């Protein structure tokens, strides 16, 4: 039996050890405890954080790469509930009090074998694709900051790295991206398949819009690395 150790989410969340089920020949099936995810989702559900939410990933600690997920489901002896896996292998689970009370299991199918996968939790927010008002991006940034503060606690929030802006991840990063405000237009370069929008840019184009090609996966905080 292989073990999964706990991951660290945005330097905030320490999660308990998870167990990796015996892999099959073609893939690996992980059995995780729904209660582990539920406790984190409950914290986010208690507050008013707008579009900010938590995203769950599995990561290979040997190379830092995400473990590819093919499918997932939540099951109890009485019922089975489908879960969602996104194109970037985010695990999206239903928030359900009954599943927690029934001590449900989360079954995840991996796309390739791993000796170990760590669970990591990412604060993020959803966003519309195509054209988006910059003031909406600023609102998402505030909502993600509020959720980070909540997760860190009354004392921990004072030690969080500063949020420098918003990181935008796309399904297929390509094409062009611009900040536009009237006659002003600023091209945005891609950095490792993502767009980084700093707080100064968001303020400067606060009355404008972000225009880009492609489908947005999510927004995440751009945190200062000191």
């Amino acid at each position: 039996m292989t073990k999964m150790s706990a991951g660290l989410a945005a330097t905030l969340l320490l999660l308990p050890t998870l167990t990796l089920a015996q892999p099959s020949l073609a893939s690996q099936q992980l059995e995780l405890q729904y209660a582990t995810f539920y406790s984190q989702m409950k914290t986010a559900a208690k507050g008013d954080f707008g579009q900010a939410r938590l995203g769950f990933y599995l990561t290979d600690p040997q190379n830092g790469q995400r473990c590819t997920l093919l499918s997932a489901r939540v099951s109890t002896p009485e019922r089975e509930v489908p879960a969602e896996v996104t194109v970037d292998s985010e695990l999206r689970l239903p928030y359900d009090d009954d599943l927690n009370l029934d001590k449900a299991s989360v079954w995840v199918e991996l796309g390739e074998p791993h000796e170990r996968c760590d669970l990591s939790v990412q604060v993020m927010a959803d966003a519309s694709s195509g054209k988006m008002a910059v003031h909406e991006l600023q609102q998402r940034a505030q909502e993600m900051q509020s959720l980070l503060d909540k997760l860190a606690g009354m004392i921990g929030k004072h030690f969080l790295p500063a949020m420098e802006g918003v990181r935008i991840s796309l399904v297929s990063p390509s094409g062009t991206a611009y900040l536009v405000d009237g006659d002003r237009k600023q091209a945005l370069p891609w950095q490792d398949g993502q767009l980084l929008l700093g707080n100064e840019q968001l303020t400067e184009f606060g009355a404008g819009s972000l225009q880009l090609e492609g489908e947005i996966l999510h927004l995440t905080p751009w945190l200062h690395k000191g």
Side-chain angles (χ1 to χ4, degrees), residues 139-187:
Q139 179 65 32
R140 300 289 191 277
Q142 293 173 2
E143 293 166 350
M144 289 189 290
Q145 182 68 70
S146 295
L147 182 51
L148 281 170
D149 290 344
K150 176 66 175 180
L151 296 171
M154 292 297 294
I155 297 177
K157 68 180 182 181
H158 298 294
F159 298 94
L160 285 174
M163 187 184 295
E164 296 189 349
V166 176
R167 188 185 303 270
I168 303 176
S169 300
L170 279 78
V171 174
S172 299
S174 61
T176 58
Y178 297 94
L179 285 172
V180 180
D181 184 6
D183 295 332
R184 293 188 301 145
K185 189 174 186 179
Q186 179 179 325

Side-chain angles (χ1 to χ4, degrees), residues 1-224:
M1 188 74 71
T2 310
K3 294 290 185 181
M4 288 181 59
S5 69
L8 187 63
T11 68
L12 295 178
L13 305 179
L14 285 173
L15 304 179
T17 301
L18 305 178
T19 302
L20 178 60
Q22 185 67 39
S24 66
L25 294 177
S27 63
Q28 293 188 80
Q29 293 282 337
L30 303 180
E31 182 184 10
L32 315 176
Q33 299 303 310
Y34 178 78
T36 302
F37 302 92
Y38 177 84
S39 62
Q40 310 306 326
M41 291 189 288
K42 184 176 181 179
T43 299
K46 283 183 177 180
D48 182 10
F49 303 108
Q51 297 299 314
R53 60 181 181 82
L54 298 179
F56 298 105
Y57 293 92
L58 300 178
T59 304
D60 189 325
Q62 293 185 345
N63 56 27
Q65 300 298 312
R66 288 175 183 165
C67 300
T68 302
L69 308 185
L70 299 181
S71 63
R73 69 186 191 278
V74 185
S75 65
T76 70
E78 290 75 29
R79 62 173 174 147
E80 186 167 293
V81 180
E84 181 183 357
V85 172
T86 68
V87 295
D88 69 333
S89 290
E90 178 195 348
L91 176 59
R92 296 186 178 183
L93 302 174
Y95 178 63
D96 189 312
D97 292 338
D98 291 336
L99 289 175
N100 182 58
L101 292 173
D102 292 340
K103 302 186 183 303
S105 295
V106 178
W107 289 91
V108 179
E109 182 181 6
L110 296 178
E112 66 282 322
H114 293 273
E115 290 188 3
R116 183 177 129 186
C117 286
D118 289 350
L119 176 63
S120 61
V121 185
Q122 172 69 59
V123 170
M124 59 177 59
D126 296 320
S128 57
S129 299
K131 182 178 180 179
M132 186 176 183
V134 172
H135 71 80
E136 292 184 31
L137 289 171
Q138 293 173 310
Q139 179 65 32
R140 300 289 191 277
Q142 293 173 2
E143 293 166 350
M144 289 189 290
Q145 182 68 70
S146 295
L147 182 51
L148 281 170
D149 290 344
K150 176 66 175 180
L151 296 171
M154 292 297 294
I155 297 177
K157 68 180 182 181
H158 298 294
F159 298 94
L160 285 174
M163 187 184 295
E164 296 189 349
V166 176
R167 188 185 303 270
I168 303 176
S169 300
L170 279 78
V171 174
S172 299
S174 61
T176 58
Y178 297 94
L179 285 172
V180 180
D181 184 6
D183 295 332
R184 293 188 301 145
K185 189 174 186 179
Q186 179 179 325
L188 300 173
W190 298 98
Q191 298 187 33
D192 298 325
Q194 298 178 326
L195 292 175
L196 297 178
L197 292 178
N199 292 326
E200 291 185 3
Q201 289 174 298
L202 294 174
T203 300
E204 182 182 355
F205 286 85
S209 62
L210 169 68
Q211 299 181 9
L212 53 78
E213 299 175 357
E215 180 183 354
I216 295 178
L217 269 175
H218 49 245
L219 313 176
T220 53
W222 176 14
L223 299 177
H224 174 74

